[in-house]
Amino acid sequence: MKPIRILIADDHALVRDGIRAMMDKTEDIDVVAEASDGLEAIEKISKHKPNLVLLDIGMKSLNGLDAAARITREFPSIHVVILSMHANEEYVLRALRAGAVGYLLKDSKKQELLMAIHSVMQGKTYLSPQVSRHVIDNYVRSVGAEKSPLEQLTPRQQEILKLVSEGRSNKEIAQLLNVSVKTVDTHRTQLMQRLNIHDVAGLVRFAIKAGLISLDN
């Protein structure tokens, strides 16, 4: 049986090193690449072709939730597991909506990480036991419900909203996303109209409230 090919994306090198050290001792798992943010993870997926991606939720440039949405859209065969310090319902629901099939708390032990990896590779959804059962129930009930303001934005608009809220200029965003400044300006105008928010301060407040960025950013 071929080993499970894994890409680790986390903005802390020590975390990546720790996970790799655990995985290197597991015969049926092969860590094929590492990334420090979501954009780098997406770039390396095409090159290294992992079966599963472990995504930290709090990375800069493109966080784990936004990266999960892009990965599941552009690489539907890849399984995405979110790594997070947050056990609250909002983050878990957003991860599931983004297409993640696993949500693991960072204080989990090695055996739970391995269980999560093997579970999702068998087509199951894995959530850390600390994440309460009602999160799943609420998610099932919410499928098909009216979308939140954030979910009414396209994935690209959400990316640009996050970067704008982090203080990036249109030129910087264009370089990060490899698009024209005009394209960024168009998306920025459209998302402001859709959210009915017409200043950067308002966008920052909205992004924080929606969990798109944290005060640490």
Side-chain angles (χ1 to χ4, degrees):
M1 182 179 295
K2 294 182 179 180
I4 301 169
R5 298 171 58 82
I6 291 181
L7 183 149
I8 304 168
D10 193 293
D11 58 353
H12 294 93
L14 285 175
V15 174
R16 298 197 305 271
D17 291 345
I19 295 175
R20 177 183 281 274
M22 288 191 294
M23 298 298 97
D24 284 347
K25 298 177 182 178
T26 306
E27 292 184 358
D28 64 342
I29 292 177
D30 183 15
V31 177
V32 296
E34 297 180 18
S36 59
D37 61 53
L39 289 175
E40 185 182 2
I42 291 170
E43 291 174 359
K44 289 189 173 181
I45 284 173
S46 296
K47 179 179 180 180
H48 297 281
K49 297 179 173 54
N51 306 118
L52 184 147
V53 178
L54 295 174
L55 287 174
D56 174 29
I57 204 171
M59 300 177 291
K60 294 183 179 180
S61 296
L62 189 65
N63 66 34
L65 296 175
D66 297 329
R70 280 190 58 179
I71 292 169
T72 55
R73 183 176 70 251
E74 298 174 18
F75 308 95
S77 65
I78 292 179
H79 303 278
V80 174
V81 174
I82 294 291
L83 298 175
S84 175
M85 296 183 296
H86 307 287
N88 66 67
E89 183 175 331
E90 176 65 24
Y91 281 103
V92 180
L93 292 180
R94 284 189 59 202
L96 294 172
R97 289 180 185 274
V101 290
Y103 191 98
L104 195 68
L105 297 182
K106 280 193 168 182
D107 60 0
S108 302
K109 297 187 181 300
K110 175 184 177 180
Q111 289 308 314
E112 186 179 349
L113 174 58
L114 295 177
M115 185 184 300
I117 290 171
H118 290 114
S119 292
V120 300
M121 288 303 298
Q122 293 170 10
K124 303 174 183 177
T125 298
Y126 186 91
L127 301 181
S128 283
Q130 299 96 315
V131 177
S132 58
R133 177 67 198 181
H134 76 269
V135 170
I136 303 177
D137 296 335
N138 287 346
Y139 171 68
V140 172
R141 287 196 298 270
S142 69
V143 172
E146 183 178 353
K147 292 183 177 180
S148 69
L150 181 63
E151 291 171 332
Q152 291 177 23
L153 301 179
T154 66
R156 178 64 84 188
Q157 289 171 347
Q158 291 186 30
E159 289 177 45
I160 291 174
L161 169 61
K162 180 180 183 298
L163 293 169
V164 168
S165 300
E166 290 177 349
R168 308 269 189 171
S169 68
N170 282 8
K171 183 177 180 181
E172 289 175 319
I173 295 172
Q175 292 174 340
L176 280 169
L177 301 181
N178 196 28
V179 297
S180 69
V181 174
K182 184 177 180 181
T183 297
V184 172
D185 186 58
T186 298
H187 283 304
R188 182 170 174 164
T189 299
Q190 290 173 344
L191 74 88
M192 283 180 147
Q193 291 174 342
R194 188 162 294 184
L195 296 175
N196 195 26
I197 299 174
H198 303 287
D199 59 83
V200 173
L203 291 178
V204 172
R205 288 192 296 270
F206 175 85
I208 292 173
K209 184 177 180 181
L212 198 60
I213 64 172
S214 69
L215 292 174
D216 294 335
N217 290 345

